[in-house]
Amino acid sequence: FGAYQGTATRQRPSSNISRVPTAAMMAGDFTAFTSPACNGGRQIVLRAPFVNNQINPALFSPAAVNLAKRLPTTTDSCGETQYSASNDSNEWQIVGRSDYQMSANHSLFGRYMATSFFSPAPYATTQNVLATRIAGLDNLAQSAVAGHTVVFGSNAVNSLRITYNRTSIHRGNPPFFD
């Protein structure tokens, strides 16, 4: 006896919304970002070292500037951007069993089952740094059983079962800095 079942899912919803630095912010001008239009009708005044919600870009962390270069760009003055994080997956299950009757009193059997779930990290398919918050999955579970039964008479039976189980679970993101 044997069976296989597999499912491939491909989804790319675009309902994720984030805020990223605008070109004006990268130039040190946060006036649009702190305006009432971007803050629910409330004006925000940034503290020092900001002056009039502006700052010298030379004060920015070089690491932060390097990361910001990898973010998607937006023309929205508040920095809002919509992006998709793919939700692709491949999963399968396989099962097999074999029975062998050596004689009326002597039998063997074996059974194997495996199940796999693979979903790449959304960054791997979109190359969008914002999608790194979701890790990829590569999971495998396996189970094997072997059995041997001998009937010696109406009062004596010898039965041996050997079982093996294994799981391999991996989660992670591909590297996104070259």
Side-chain angles (χ1 to χ4, degrees):
F1 168 81
Y4 169 82
Q5 183 267 323
T7 304
T9 304
R10 302 294 177 264
Q11 295 177 336
R12 193 155 302 208
S14 61
S15 59
N16 298 306
I17 298 173
S18 287
R19 288 193 175 189
V20 296
T22 63
M25 289 178 189
M26 295 306 294
D29 184 2
F30 286 75
T31 55
F33 183 71
T34 58
S35 72
C38 297
N39 295 289
R42 186 173 64 102
Q43 176 67 46
I44 294 178
V45 177
L46 300 174
R47 291 182 261 168
F50 288 87
V51 176
N52 295 325
N53 291 332
Q54 295 185 11
I55 190 170
N56 182 349
L59 297 174
F60 291 158
S61 159
V65 171
N66 188 24
L67 179 62
K69 289 178 187 175
R70 299 169 193 278
L71 293 170
T73 58
T74 182
T75 56
D76 182 76
S77 61
C78 299
E80 194 170 283
T81 183
Q82 250 191 345
Y83 67 97
S84 66
S86 63
N87 188 16
D88 300 342
S89 66
N90 294 317
E91 58 184 308
W92 55 262
Q93 294 86 33
I94 188 169
V95 64
R97 179 179 169 117
S98 180
D99 291 285
Y100 181 65
Q101 193 73 34
M102 297 175 74
S103 69
N105 296 335
H106 194 183
S107 65
L108 300 170
F109 83 91
R111 180 179 65 228
Y112 176 77
M113 182 176 78
T115 180
S116 171
F117 183 84
F118 176 76
S119 179
Y123 176 76
T125 56
T126 65
Q127 300 301 301
N128 184 338
V129 174
L130 296 175
T132 59
R133 65 183 179 83
I134 302 169
L137 306 172
D138 189 2
N139 302 339
L140 175 67
Q142 297 172 297
S143 176
V145 179
H148 180 245
T149 303
V150 179
V151 178
F152 293 111
S154 61
N155 294 333
V157 175
N158 182 27
S159 182
L160 172 69
R161 301 289 186 263
I162 298 172
T163 303
Y164 172 78
N165 292 307
R166 174 183 179 263
T167 57
S168 174
I169 299 172
H170 302 278
R171 289 166 174 41
N173 274 312
F176 57 90
F177 286 122
D178 296 331

